[in-house]
Amino acid sequence: MKNNELERIASAACIDLTENEKKGLEEDMENILDWFSQLDKIDTKDVEPAFHPIDIKNEMREDVVEECLDNEDVFLNTENYEDGFFKGPSIGD
Amino acid sequence: MSASEFVTGEVDLEKFHKKLEKRIDGLVELGLIRPIDYEYSDKKDGKLNGLPFTLKDSICSKNDPTYAGSKILEGYKPPFDATVTKKIKDSGGTIFAKTHQDEFAFGTASTNCAFTTPKNPWDKERCCGGSSGGAAGLSAALDLPHINLGESTGGSISEPASFTGVVGLTPTYGLVSRYGLISFANSLDKIGPISRKVEDAALGLDIISGKDFKDQTTVKKETNYRKSISEDLSGMKIGLPTSYFDIAQDEVSEVVMNAVDDMRSLGAETEEIELEMTEAALPAYYIIAPAEASTNLAKYCGMRYGMEGEPDGNFRNYFSKIRGKGFGEEVKRRIMLGTFTRMAGYRDKYYLKALKVRKKIINDFKRAFKKVDVLAAPTAPMVAPKIEEVEEMAPVEQYKLDKLTAPINLAGMPQLSVPCGFHKKMPVGLHILGDHFQEEDILRAGHNYEKRRGKIDYPEA
């Protein structure tokens, strides 16, 4: 991996890592990526990628109103809510 | 008494549940379950007659703690039932516990669970396999009728079933709704039953399968799996993938080959099959699964549910702090890997390449199933390793425990692990693999073999 690559990935993935974790991960990822490289020798020219194991047809349900969670249930698992909204951090810098 | 006998028999439910309650502490001590408050179902009109069920910790049940083995979800109580949970409740089943698992199902030995490590009832120093380790261990430890629901992404039902000497059924992708499953990888996750007998696994599949508009990948399939198992094996063609027998330890392959001989004596015909893509499947799986997982796990960010803090400051700092604190080591590793392999500049080399390899793996199996009805092979390359040994393994070495289960899981095809003997006094699993939606064939093969094999003396736990 190139310089600062690990920091770039951690930042994209939004995960704080300790210095110790960074060291361990760098080594693990190098080894794992090296192991992945065995796929390079497999000929996949003209092969379509399989995003799913089976062919799936999109089938819509009837467009009718169904029951959904009531407000009490929606906020059951958080303390950070107010006036029927979730509270979160600022999205600006 | 099996689960299948239980549902049709005359059972004194009060007496039965008193017996079950006495076993709970022992199961907790082995690190297999987290009990939930429950009242036994006395729905006499249901199909299940109050039969006890457990759910893997990643399957939601209304108001019951559901943590997917992760600290980041500790305390979470879903305000809804997963579709499979609802189906069990509607059919008169009783859910009495959640089973421990690797965090977000990332593991092959259940040693990545944030709360405890399930111990193998056959030898408490050994692991139960993973990631549905608690569920498989429970079936080995509990001699009362029950069915567990596990979940497999790359082998998480079959491999622990093999390590603990029980039956694990992974259905075709799309046969069972994933609604309410705390997801790992959307194109790979499959919920399936773990039990002591093949007939019980078939009963479990009868209850949980079917079309669900809450999961657009589900399909309609009207089959009575339990009825389909009784036909004999005469004329069934069984393929033996030579590469699988070569990969497994010689002693393990030998035990499985004896089981194949038993199936031959029951009228099945066998032939050797070459699967060219066997070696490529594991690295392809470990690219695709973490790539999908890294997007799935983006939702755990300290908002709405799960671990949270005071949401002040900038979102990036807040999310990163909570995720850094809440996720375990293997989860971080896989999110980092999955984020990397999808990044601009690397996507073609890793992610798309792996998806093309996956297509070749599916074609490989499709070719085989033109020649034979099912494939039979060892489920895992070895018997359950010691927990200590697993903890000392490098990540890639741990991943290799999935070597024989990853290919069929990438193909989304059904598989059944049935205990077939012992090596080093630990159980060995016979893996029966089928083409998409051919569950009847693998269940029939497994049931006939199981009858021939006879009873297993499970350890007292």
Side-chain angles (χ1 to χ4, degrees), chain B residues 259-280:
Chain B
V260 171
D261 285 341
D262 280 342
M263 289 199 283
R264 257 195 291 256
S265 72
L266 293 170
E269 296 161 20
T270 59
E271 71 171 89
E272 290 190 350
I273 292 280
E274 299 295 329
L275 291 171
E276 292 164 14
M277 299 301 292
T278 306
E279 284 292 333

mmCIF file with all atom_site columns, all heavy atoms in Angstrom, chain B residues 259-280:
data_model
loop_
_atom_site.group_PDB
_atom_site.id
_atom_site.type_symbol
_atom_site.label_atom_id
_atom_site.label_alt_id
_atom_site.label_comp_id
_atom_site.label_asym_id
_atom_site.label_entity_id
_atom_site.label_seq_id
_atom_site.pdbx_PDB_ins_code
_atom_site.Cartn_x
_atom_site.Cartn_y
_atom_site.Cartn_z
_atom_site.occupancy
_atom_site.B_iso_or_equiv
_atom_site.pdbx_formal_charge
_atom_site.auth_seq_id
_atom_site.auth_comp_id
_atom_site.auth_asym_id
_atom_site.auth_atom_id
_atom_site.pdbx_PDB_model_num
ATOM 1   N N   . ALA B 1 259 ? -18.699 -42.484 4.356   1.00 0.00 ? 259 ALA B N   1
ATOM 2   C CA  . ALA B 1 259 ? -20.115 -42.093 4.273   1.00 0.00 ? 259 ALA B CA  1
ATOM 3   C C   . ALA B 1 259 ? -20.607 -42.207 2.827   1.00 0.00 ? 259 ALA B C   1
ATOM 4   O O   . ALA B 1 259 ? -21.742 -42.617 2.571   1.00 0.00 ? 259 ALA B O   1
ATOM 5   C CB  . ALA B 1 259 ? -20.292 -40.659 4.780   1.00 0.00 ? 259 ALA B CB  1
ATOM 6   N N   . VAL B 1 260 ? -19.725 -41.841 1.882   1.00 0.00 ? 260 VAL B N   1
ATOM 7   C CA  . VAL B 1 260 ? -20.083 -41.968 0.462   1.00 0.00 ? 260 VAL B CA  1
ATOM 8   C C   . VAL B 1 260 ? -20.326 -43.449 0.121   1.00 0.00 ? 260 VAL B C   1
ATOM 9   O O   . VAL B 1 260 ? -21.283 -43.789 -0.592  1.00 0.00 ? 260 VAL B O   1
ATOM 10  C CB  . VAL B 1 260 ? -18.979 -41.368 -0.440  1.00 0.00 ? 260 VAL B CB  1
ATOM 11  C CG1 . VAL B 1 260 ? -19.238 -41.691 -1.909  1.00 0.00 ? 260 VAL B CG1 1
ATOM 12  C CG2 . VAL B 1 260 ? -18.897 -39.859 -0.240  1.00 0.00 ? 260 VAL B CG2 1
ATOM 13  N N   . ASP B 1 261 ? -19.470 -44.330 0.670   1.00 0.00 ? 261 ASP B N   1
ATOM 14  C CA  . ASP B 1 261 ? -19.668 -45.775 0.457   1.00 0.00 ? 261 ASP B CA  1
ATOM 15  C C   . ASP B 1 261 ? -21.042 -46.202 0.966   1.00 0.00 ? 261 ASP B C   1
ATOM 16  O O   . ASP B 1 261 ? -21.734 -47.007 0.337   1.00 0.00 ? 261 ASP B O   1
ATOM 17  C CB  . ASP B 1 261 ? -18.584 -46.583 1.195   1.00 0.00 ? 261 ASP B CB  1
ATOM 18  C CG  . ASP B 1 261 ? -17.248 -46.519 0.472   1.00 0.00 ? 261 ASP B CG  1
ATOM 19  O OD1 . ASP B 1 261 ? -17.253 -46.188 -0.734  1.00 0.00 ? 261 ASP B OD1 1
ATOM 20  O OD2 . ASP B 1 261 ? -16.213 -46.778 1.106   1.00 0.00 ? 261 ASP B OD2 1
ATOM 21  N N   . ASP B 1 262 ? -21.423 -45.671 2.128   1.00 0.00 ? 262 ASP B N   1
ATOM 22  C CA  . ASP B 1 262 ? -22.754 -45.980 2.684   1.00 0.00 ? 262 ASP B CA  1
ATOM 23  C C   . ASP B 1 262 ? -23.857 -45.556 1.715   1.00 0.00 ? 262 ASP B C   1
ATOM 24  O O   . ASP B 1 262 ? -24.828 -46.276 1.507   1.00 0.00 ? 262 ASP B O   1
ATOM 25  C CB  . ASP B 1 262 ? -22.961 -45.256 4.027   1.00 0.00 ? 262 ASP B CB  1
ATOM 26  C CG  . ASP B 1 262 ? -22.270 -45.979 5.172   1.00 0.00 ? 262 ASP B CG  1
ATOM 27  O OD1 . ASP B 1 262 ? -21.946 -47.172 4.995   1.00 0.00 ? 262 ASP B OD1 1
ATOM 28  O OD2 . ASP B 1 262 ? -22.058 -45.341 6.225   1.00 0.00 ? 262 ASP B OD2 1
ATOM 29  N N   . MET B 1 263 ? -23.694 -44.392 1.122   1.00 0.00 ? 263 MET B N   1
ATOM 30  C CA  . MET B 1 263 ? -24.733 -43.909 0.197   1.00 0.00 ? 263 MET B CA  1
ATOM 31  C C   . MET B 1 263 ? -24.767 -44.765 -1.071  1.00 0.00 ? 263 MET B C   1
ATOM 32  O O   . MET B 1 263 ? -25.822 -45.005 -1.639  1.00 0.00 ? 263 MET B O   1
ATOM 33  C CB  . MET B 1 263 ? -24.511 -42.431 -0.135  1.00 0.00 ? 263 MET B CB  1
ATOM 34  C CG  . MET B 1 263 ? -24.825 -41.535 1.061   1.00 0.00 ? 263 MET B CG  1
ATOM 35  S SD  . MET B 1 263 ? -25.126 -39.820 0.638   1.00 0.00 ? 263 MET B SD  1
ATOM 36  C CE  . MET B 1 263 ? -23.495 -39.251 0.375   1.00 0.00 ? 263 MET B CE  1
ATOM 37  N N   . ARG B 1 264 ? -23.580 -45.240 -1.468  1.00 0.00 ? 264 ARG B N   1
ATOM 38  C CA  . ARG B 1 264 ? -23.516 -46.148 -2.619  1.00 0.00 ? 264 ARG B CA  1
ATOM 39  C C   . ARG B 1 264 ? -24.275 -47.439 -2.306  1.00 0.00 ? 264 ARG B C   1
ATOM 40  O O   . ARG B 1 264 ? -25.029 -47.948 -3.131  1.00 0.00 ? 264 ARG B O   1
ATOM 41  C CB  . ARG B 1 264 ? -22.063 -46.485 -2.947  1.00 0.00 ? 264 ARG B CB  1
ATOM 42  C CG  . ARG B 1 264 ? -21.550 -45.710 -4.160  1.00 0.00 ? 264 ARG B CG  1
ATOM 43  C CD  . ARG B 1 264 ? -20.266 -46.319 -4.681  1.00 0.00 ? 264 ARG B CD  1
ATOM 44  N NE  . ARG B 1 264 ? -19.163 -46.126 -3.745  1.00 0.00 ? 264 ARG B NE  1
ATOM 45  C CZ  . ARG B 1 264 ? -18.197 -45.233 -3.915  1.00 0.00 ? 264 ARG B CZ  1
ATOM 46  N NH1 . ARG B 1 264 ? -18.171 -44.469 -4.975  1.00 0.00 ? 264 ARG B NH1 1
ATOM 47  N NH2 . ARG B 1 264 ? -17.226 -45.099 -3.041  1.00 0.00 ? 264 ARG B NH2 1
ATOM 48  N N   . SER B 1 265 ? -24.102 -47.922 -1.087  1.00 0.00 ? 265 SER B N   1
ATOM 49  C CA  . SER B 1 265 ? -24.768 -49.172 -0.722  1.00 0.00 ? 265 SER B CA  1
ATOM 50  C C   . SER B 1 265 ? -26.290 -48.985 -0.651  1.00 0.00 ? 265 SER B C   1
ATOM 51  O O   . SER B 1 265 ? -27.043 -49.949 -0.670  1.00 0.00 ? 265 SER B O   1
ATOM 52  C CB  . SER B 1 265 ? -24.231 -49.700 0.612   1.00 0.00 ? 265 SER B CB  1
ATOM 53  O OG  . SER B 1 265 ? -24.697 -48.889 1.658   1.00 0.00 ? 265 SER B OG  1
ATOM 54  N N   . LEU B 1 266 ? -26.730 -47.735 -0.577  1.00 0.00 ? 266 LEU B N   1
ATOM 55  C CA  . LEU B 1 266 ? -28.170 -47.463 -0.558  1.00 0.00 ? 266 LEU B CA  1
ATOM 56  C C   . LEU B 1 266 ? -28.732 -47.263 -1.971  1.00 0.00 ? 266 LEU B C   1
ATOM 57  O O   . LEU B 1 266 ? -29.886 -46.892 -2.134  1.00 0.00 ? 266 LEU B O   1
ATOM 58  C CB  . LEU B 1 266 ? -28.450 -46.207 0.287   1.00 0.00 ? 266 LEU B CB  1
ATOM 59  C CG  . LEU B 1 266 ? -28.169 -46.324 1.789   1.00 0.00 ? 266 LEU B CG  1
ATOM 60  C CD1 . LEU B 1 266 ? -28.244 -44.954 2.449   1.00 0.00 ? 266 LEU B CD1 1
ATOM 61  C CD2 . LEU B 1 266 ? -29.168 -47.276 2.448   1.00 0.00 ? 266 LEU B CD2 1
ATOM 62  N N   . GLY B 1 267 ? -27.886 -47.433 -2.967  1.00 0.00 ? 267 GLY B N   1
ATOM 63  C CA  . GLY B 1 267 ? -28.385 -47.362 -4.345  1.00 0.00 ? 267 GLY B CA  1
ATOM 64  C C   . GLY B 1 267 ? -27.915 -46.160 -5.136  1.00 0.00 ? 267 GLY B C   1
ATOM 65  O O   . GLY B 1 267 ? -28.239 -46.018 -6.320  1.00 0.00 ? 267 GLY B O   1
ATOM 66  N N   . ALA B 1 268 ? -27.146 -45.268 -4.504  1.00 0.00 ? 268 ALA B N   1
ATOM 67  C CA  . ALA B 1 268 ? -26.671 -44.085 -5.235  1.00 0.00 ? 268 ALA B CA  1
ATOM 68  C C   . ALA B 1 268 ? -25.493 -44.469 -6.138  1.00 0.00 ? 268 ALA B C   1
ATOM 69  O O   . ALA B 1 268 ? -24.754 -45.400 -5.847  1.00 0.00 ? 268 ALA B O   1
ATOM 70  C CB  . ALA B 1 268 ? -26.242 -43.008 -4.255  1.00 0.00 ? 268 ALA B CB  1
ATOM 71  N N   . GLU B 1 269 ? -25.362 -43.746 -7.244  1.00 0.00 ? 269 GLU B N   1
ATOM 72  C CA  . GLU B 1 269 ? -24.204 -43.944 -8.127  1.00 0.00 ? 269 GLU B CA  1
ATOM 73  C C   . GLU B 1 269 ? -23.277 -42.755 -7.930  1.00 0.00 ? 269 GLU B C   1
ATOM 74  O O   . GLU B 1 269 ? -23.741 -41.638 -7.725  1.00 0.00 ? 269 GLU B O   1
ATOM 75  C CB  . GLU B 1 269 ? -24.654 -43.961 -9.594  1.00 0.00 ? 269 GLU B CB  1
ATOM 76  C CG  . GLU B 1 269 ? -25.575 -45.115 -9.927  1.00 0.00 ? 269 GLU B CG  1
ATOM 77  C CD  . GLU B 1 269 ? -26.357 -44.855 -11.207 1.00 0.00 ? 269 GLU B CD  1
ATOM 78  O OE1 . GLU B 1 269 ? -25.942 -43.998 -12.017 1.00 0.00 ? 269 GLU B OE1 1
ATOM 79  O OE2 . GLU B 1 269 ? -27.399 -45.508 -11.373 1.00 0.00 ? 269 GLU B OE2 1
ATOM 80  N N   . THR B 1 270 ? -21.975 -43.000 -8.001  1.00 0.00 ? 270 THR B N   1
ATOM 81  C CA  . THR B 1 270 ? -21.045 -41.876 -7.805  1.00 0.00 ? 270 THR B CA  1
ATOM 82  C C   . THR B 1 270 ? -20.104 -41.731 -8.993  1.00 0.00 ? 270 THR B C   1
ATOM 83  O O   . THR B 1 270 ? -19.828 -42.694 -9.701  1.00 0.00 ? 270 THR B O   1
ATOM 84  C CB  . THR B 1 270 ? -20.185 -42.076 -6.533  1.00 0.00 ? 270 THR B CB  1
ATOM 85  O OG1 . THR B 1 270 ? -19.455 -43.291 -6.668  1.00 0.00 ? 270 THR B OG1 1
ATOM 86  C CG2 . THR B 1 270 ? -21.022 -42.121 -5.287  1.00 0.00 ? 270 THR B CG2 1
ATOM 87  N N   . GLU B 1 271 ? -19.639 -40.521 -9.192  1.00 0.00 ? 271 GLU B N   1
ATOM 88  C CA  . GLU B 1 271 ? -18.583 -40.283 -10.184 1.00 0.00 ? 271 GLU B CA  1
ATOM 89  C C   . GLU B 1 271 ? -17.749 -39.090 -9.758  1.00 0.00 ? 271 GLU B C   1
ATOM 90  O O   . GLU B 1 271 ? -18.231 -38.189 -9.058  1.00 0.00 ? 271 GLU B O   1
ATOM 91  C CB  . GLU B 1 271 ? -19.170 -40.066 -11.582 1.00 0.00 ? 271 GLU B CB  1
ATOM 92  C CG  . GLU B 1 271 ? -19.910 -38.766 -11.790 1.00 0.00 ? 271 GLU B CG  1
ATOM 93  C CD  . GLU B 1 271 ? -20.263 -38.547 -13.263 1.00 0.00 ? 271 GLU B CD  1
ATOM 94  O OE1 . GLU B 1 271 ? -21.341 -39.010 -13.666 1.00 0.00 ? 271 GLU B OE1 1
ATOM 95  O OE2 . GLU B 1 271 ? -19.468 -37.896 -13.984 1.00 0.00 ? 271 GLU B OE2 1
ATOM 96  N N   . GLU B 1 272 ? -16.492 -39.107 -10.144 1.00 0.00 ? 272 GLU B N   1
ATOM 97  C CA  . GLU B 1 272 ? -15.601 -38.002 -9.770  1.00 0.00 ? 272 GLU B CA  1
ATOM 98  C C   . GLU B 1 272 ? -15.901 -36.780 -10.627 1.00 0.00 ? 272 GLU B C   1
ATOM 99  O O   . GLU B 1 272 ? -16.220 -36.898 -11.810 1.00 0.00 ? 272 GLU B O   1
ATOM 100 C CB  . GLU B 1 272 ? -14.140 -38.420 -9.937  1.00 0.00 ? 272 GLU B CB  1
ATOM 101 C CG  . GLU B 1 272 ? -13.735 -39.438 -8.888  1.00 0.00 ? 272 GLU B CG  1
ATOM 102 C CD  . GLU B 1 272 ? -12.233 -39.689 -8.872  1.00 0.00 ? 272 GLU B CD  1
ATOM 103 O OE1 . GLU B 1 272 ? -11.536 -39.225 -9.796  1.00 0.00 ? 272 GLU B OE1 1
ATOM 104 O OE2 . GLU B 1 272 ? -11.769 -40.346 -7.923  1.00 0.00 ? 272 GLU B OE2 1
ATOM 105 N N   . ILE B 1 273 ? -15.804 -35.614 -10.018 1.00 0.00 ? 273 ILE B N   1
ATOM 106 C CA  . ILE B 1 273 ? -16.098 -34.362 -10.715 1.00 0.00 ? 273 ILE B CA  1
ATOM 107 C C   . ILE B 1 273 ? -14.917 -33.408 -10.537 1.00 0.00 ? 273 ILE B C   1
ATOM 108 O O   . ILE B 1 273 ? -14.374 -33.285 -9.435  1.00 0.00 ? 273 ILE B O   1
ATOM 109 C CB  . ILE B 1 273 ? -17.374 -33.709 -10.103 1.00 0.00 ? 273 ILE B CB  1
ATOM 110 C CG1 . ILE B 1 273 ? -18.628 -34.555 -10.399 1.00 0.00 ? 273 ILE B CG1 1
ATOM 111 C CG2 . ILE B 1 273 ? -17.562 -32.275 -10.549 1.00 0.00 ? 273 ILE B CG2 1
ATOM 112 C CD1 . ILE B 1 273 ? -19.218 -34.388 -11.776 1.00 0.00 ? 273 ILE B CD1 1
ATOM 113 N N   . GLU B 1 274 ? -14.537 -32.742 -11.617 1.00 0.00 ? 274 GLU B N   1
ATOM 114 C CA  . GLU B 1 274 ? -13.487 -31.724 -11.515 1.00 0.00 ? 274 GLU B CA  1
ATOM 115 C C   . GLU B 1 274 ? -14.152 -30.351 -11.403 1.00 0.00 ? 274 GLU B C   1
ATOM 116 O O   . GLU B 1 274 ? -14.930 -29.966 -12.269 1.00 0.00 ? 274 GLU B O   1
ATOM 117 C CB  . GLU B 1 274 ? -12.598 -31.731 -12.774 1.00 0.00 ? 274 GLU B CB  1
ATOM 118 C CG  . GLU B 1 274 ? -11.853 -33.031 -13.045 1.00 0.00 ? 274 GLU B CG  1
ATOM 119 C CD  . GLU B 1 274 ? -10.831 -33.359 -11.966 1.00 0.00 ? 274 GLU B CD  1
ATOM 120 O OE1 . GLU B 1 274 ? -10.283 -32.419 -11.374 1.00 0.00 ? 274 GLU B OE1 1
ATOM 121 O OE2 . GLU B 1 274 ? -10.615 -34.571 -11.727 1.00 0.00 ? 274 GLU B OE2 1
ATOM 122 N N   . LEU B 1 275 ? -13.857 -29.653 -10.340 1.00 0.00 ? 275 LEU B N   1
ATOM 123 C CA  . LEU B 1 275 ? -14.316 -28.259 -10.226 1.00 0.00 ? 275 LEU B CA  1
ATOM 124 C C   . LEU B 1 275 ? -13.070 -27.374 -10.331 1.00 0.00 ? 275 LEU B C   1
ATOM 125 O O   . LEU B 1 275 ? -12.243 -27.341 -9.424  1.00 0.00 ? 275 LEU B O   1
ATOM 126 C CB  . LEU B 1 275 ? -15.040 -28.027 -8.896  1.00 0.00 ? 275 LEU B CB  1
ATOM 127 C CG  . LEU B 1 275 ? -16.399 -28.722 -8.724  1.00 0.00 ? 275 LEU B CG  1
ATOM 128 C CD1 . LEU B 1 275 ? -16.890 -28.582 -7.285  1.00 0.00 ? 275 LEU B CD1 1
ATOM 129 C CD2 . LEU B 1 275 ? -17.452 -28.160 -9.671  1.00 0.00 ? 275 LEU B CD2 1
ATOM 130 N N   . GLU B 1 276 ? -12.967 -26.684 -11.471 1.00 0.00 ? 276 GLU B N   1
ATOM 131 C CA  . GLU B 1 276 ? -11.725 -25.952 -11.762 1.00 0.00 ? 276 GLU B CA  1
ATOM 132 C C   . GLU B 1 276 ? -11.495 -24.741 -10.858 1.00 0.00 ? 276 GLU B C   1
ATOM 133 O O   . GLU B 1 276 ? -10.367 -24.314 -10.662 1.00 0.00 ? 276 GLU B O   1
ATOM 134 C CB  . GLU B 1 276 ? -11.758 -25.448 -13.208 1.00 0.00 ? 276 GLU B CB  1
ATOM 135 C CG  . GLU B 1 276 ? -11.684 -26.550 -14.229 1.00 0.00 ? 276 GLU B CG  1
ATOM 136 C CD  . GLU B 1 276 ? -12.112 -26.053 -15.607 1.00 0.00 ? 276 GLU B CD  1
ATOM 137 O OE1 . GLU B 1 276 ? -12.208 -24.822 -15.813 1.00 0.00 ? 276 GLU B OE1 1
ATOM 138 O OE2 . GLU B 1 276 ? -12.365 -26.915 -16.464 1.00 0.00 ? 276 GLU B OE2 1
ATOM 139 N N   . MET B 1 277 ? -12.588 -24.182 -10.343 1.00 0.00 ? 277 MET B N   1
ATOM 140 C CA  . MET B 1 277 ? -12.467 -22.887 -9.675  1.00 0.00 ? 277 MET B CA  1
ATOM 141 C C   . MET B 1 277 ? -12.330 -22.977 -8.152  1.00 0.00 ? 277 MET B C   1
ATOM 142 O O   . MET B 1 277 ? -12.437 -21.959 -7.464  1.00 0.00 ? 277 MET B O   1
ATOM 143 C CB  . MET B 1 277 ? -13.681 -22.015 -10.034 1.00 0.00 ? 277 MET B CB  1
ATOM 144 C CG  . MET B 1 277 ? -13.830 -21.720 -11.508 1.00 0.00 ? 277 MET B CG  1
ATOM 145 S SD  . MET B 1 277 ? -12.392 -20.882 -12.197 1.00 0.00 ? 277 MET B SD  1
ATOM 146 C CE  . MET B 1 277 ? -12.518 -19.306 -11.375 1.00 0.00 ? 277 MET B CE  1
ATOM 147 N N   . THR B 1 278 ? -12.118 -24.175 -7.637  1.00 0.00 ? 278 THR B N   1
ATOM 148 C CA  . THR B 1 278 ? -12.104 -24.358 -6.172  1.00 0.00 ? 278 THR B CA  1
ATOM 149 C C   . THR B 1 278 ? -11.125 -23.412 -5.468  1.00 0.00 ? 278 THR B C   1
ATOM 150 O O   . THR B 1 278 ? -11.489 -22.735 -4.502  1.00 0.00 ? 278 THR B O   1
ATOM 151 C CB  . THR B 1 278 ? -11.742 -25.821 -5.827  1.00 0.00 ? 278 THR B CB  1
ATOM 152 O OG1 . THR B 1 278 ? -12.639 -26.670 -6.541  1.00 0.00 ? 278 THR B OG1 1
ATOM 153 C CG2 . THR B 1 278 ? -11.870 -26.089 -4.343  1.00 0.00 ? 278 THR B CG2 1
ATOM 154 N N   . GLU B 1 279 ? -9.891  -23.346 -5.958  1.00 0.00 ? 279 GLU B N   1
ATOM 155 C CA  . GLU B 1 279 ? -8.863  -22.540 -5.284  1.00 0.00 ? 279 GLU B CA  1
ATOM 156 C C   . GLU B 1 279 ? -9.172  -21.037 -5.331  1.00 0.00 ? 279 GLU B C   1
ATOM 157 O O   . GLU B 1 279 ? -8.806  -20.291 -4.433  1.00 0.00 ? 279 GLU B O   1
ATOM 158 C CB  . GLU B 1 279 ? -7.485  -22.797 -5.923  1.00 0.00 ? 279 GLU B CB  1
ATOM 159 C CG  . GLU B 1 279 ? -6.860  -24.124 -5.522  1.00 0.00 ? 279 GLU B CG  1
ATOM 160 C CD  . GLU B 1 279 ? -6.455  -24.193 -4.052  1.00 0.00 ? 279 GLU B CD  1
ATOM 161 O OE1 . GLU B 1 279 ? -6.165  -23.141 -3.445  1.00 0.00 ? 279 GLU B OE1 1
ATOM 162 O OE2 . GLU B 1 279 ? -6.440  -25.321 -3.514  1.00 0.00 ? 279 GLU B OE2 1
ATOM 163 N N   . ALA B 1 280 ? -9.861  -20.615 -6.396  1.00 0.00 ? 280 ALA B N   1
ATOM 164 C CA  . ALA B 1 280 ? -10.094 -19.175 -6.575  1.00 0.00 ? 280 ALA B CA  1
ATOM 165 C C   . ALA B 1 280 ? -11.235 -18.650 -5.708  1.00 0.00 ? 280 ALA B C   1
ATOM 166 O O   . ALA B 1 280 ? -11.357 -17.445 -5.479  1.00 0.00 ? 280 ALA B O   1
ATOM 167 C CB  . ALA B 1 280 ? -10.413 -18.894 -8.038  1.00 0.00 ? 280 ALA B CB  1
#
